[in-house]
Amino acid sequence: MTRSSPLGALAAAALLLSAGARPAQAQHLPDMVTQDVLRVCSDPGNMPFSERKGDGFENKIAQIVADELKVKLRYYWLTQGPGFVRNTLGTGLCDLIIGTSGGEIVQPTNPYYRSAYVLVSRQGEMPDIKSLDDPRLKDRQIGIIAGTPPTNRLSELKLVGERIHAYAPYAFGSERKHQTVAAGVIADLAEKKIDVAILWGPAAGWLAKQSGVPMDVVPLLSEPTRPPLTFRVSMGVRQNENDWKRTLNTVLRKRKADIEKVLRDYEVPLLAEEENKPLGAAEP
């Protein structure tokens, strides 16, 4: 869910769409990982996740991993969308995806954070809203990225029709005004073209803060478990590269506090590992 969805996004969901099968002979090869440099597969324009200038939180986390391994960091850049995993990790051009939920090509490391989809509104306009079945949403203009998990939940609640603004998950070309689709949704919210937005939290928190309009960002923690609106995010390596996976798991364990600080600095809504409550929240 790295683009505005778990996987823009998700975050993470975009990575799963692009996974394809590796050639049979490749499945029996030893680790292909380059030993003297950390080669990361990344999107050059997908803030707050990644950017060519290194400003995204996944860029910062990649640097933490490289520092711990005592190697240089190098990127292979490709805009995320269908084919991203197949044409990066799958071809051996790079050895690591910083944010993923797995797939046919991708073997996930241990998860290093858990987050949720969120409801974003202009500050004070939807006080105390906590779930998508809130009756106040029935007459609001709702922005959502088509095909993301909350779409199914809105259909279950019969929140469909002209009030739903379903943004295309991939918007490219000269007509694109914003770096990502999620950024365009937040811009429309700031300009009052829509009343609320439902987005992958790791994208929405930072984008809302950068919008210049005060916004409330509320994790959707009271929804049914299906469709899931909370996801664990891992790093991704190739299938069968188990030594490399174990090395990364060690790094994630040793540098857990540093990684968590980066995520918090970028307004990523962090959840406890098993419960739908904010990470570090006190017991009632």
Side-chain angles (χ1 to χ4, degrees), residues 189-206:
L189 180 61
E191 295 170 11
K192 299 187 177 182
K193 294 178 181 178
I194 55 176
D195 298 314
V196 297
I198 303 169
L199 295 169
W200 177 228
W206 183 86

Side-chain angles (χ1 to χ4, degrees), residues 161-173:
E162 295 181 358
R163 291 174 293 100
I164 301 296
H165 299 257
Y167 295 74
Y170 305 106
F172 304 113

Side-chain angles (χ1 to χ4, degrees), residues 166-222:
Y167 295 74
Y170 305 106
F172 304 113
S174 58
E175 72 283 356
R176 184 167 121 181
K177 296 180 180 179
H178 303 280
Q179 189 181 70
T180 65
V181 177
V185 178
I186 291 295
D188 283 353
L189 180 61
E191 295 170 11
K192 299 187 177 182
K193 294 178 181 178
I194 55 176
D195 298 314
V196 297
I198 303 169
L199 295 169
W200 177 228
W206 183 86
L207 290 170
K209 188 172 182 179
Q210 297 295 313
S211 71
V213 175
M215 294 185 181
D216 294 319
V217 180
V218 180
L220 293 168
L221 305 181
S222 302

